[in-house]
Amino acid sequence: MEHRDFVKLRSPLTVRYKFVNAQGEKLSPTLFEGSTANLSAGGMLLAGRIPDPAWVVDLLTGRVWVALNLAIPGDAEPIKAVSKVAWIERMEPDLSVCPIGLVFEEIAADDKNRIQRYVIRAQVV
């Protein structure tokens, strides 16, 4: 049985993201858009694009991080977080979509609580 610290929601939400180094410096001028398939206060599954397949090793070893803005329905302000990559699933041949498992490393406590409230609220409805 798999143990989780947070309740997880399987609902697509829009995510805008960029790739940064451990110091927070942007590594690509492009702001990407993807979606989340799984979301919890601890992290998420991002379905998005990686600009270059050569980045996979740097993503998996923590040399490249993902800074993101997550749009929560009904909230005016997006949630901002910086994440490390925990795993990457098989990439599509055209690199258009790649499932990326993210763990939030830098996120405000209030934003983490907003995610948790949304996940619980969405499961009750």
Side-chain angles (χ1 to χ4, degrees):
M1 185 164 145
E2 186 176 356
H3 171 73
R4 296 221 177 250
D5 292 331
F6 300 101
V7 176
K8 187 169 49 172
L9 176 67
R10 298 179 196 281
S11 177
L13 298 174
T14 300
V15 181
R16 288 190 173 82
Y17 63 99
K18 60 187 174 185
F19 296 94
V20 298
N21 63 19
Q23 292 75 39
E25 299 163 334
K26 193 179 346 179
L27 298 175
S28 169
T30 305
L31 182 64
F32 296 92
E33 187 168 302
S35 65
T36 178
N38 290 332
L39 174 65
S40 78
M44 61 186 266
L45 172 61
L46 171 65
R49 188 171 183 281
I50 296 175
D52 186 333
W55 287 26
V56 170
V57 171
D58 289 338
L59 286 162
L60 291 171
T61 57
R63 288 190 293 266
V64 174
W65 293 26
V66 180
L68 59 92
N69 287 345
L70 173 66
I72 298 283
D75 284 6
E77 292 295 316
I79 290 173
K80 297 180 183 207
V82 179
S83 308
K84 280 188 174 180
V85 173
W87 50 266
I88 296 175
E89 283 188 13
R90 178 179 55 89
M91 287 189 278
E92 295 298 322
D94 64 358
L95 301 177
S96 62
V97 178
C98 180
I100 307 166
L102 301 177
V103 176
F104 298 138
E105 291 291 327
E106 297 175 18
I107 184 169
D110 184 53
D111 284 343
K112 192 177 264 196
N113 289 335
R114 286 172 55 203
I115 292 172
Q116 190 67 22
R117 284 192 304 270
Y118 172 71
V119 168
I120 292 169
R121 188 173 61 238
Q123 291 185 11
V124 172
V125 175

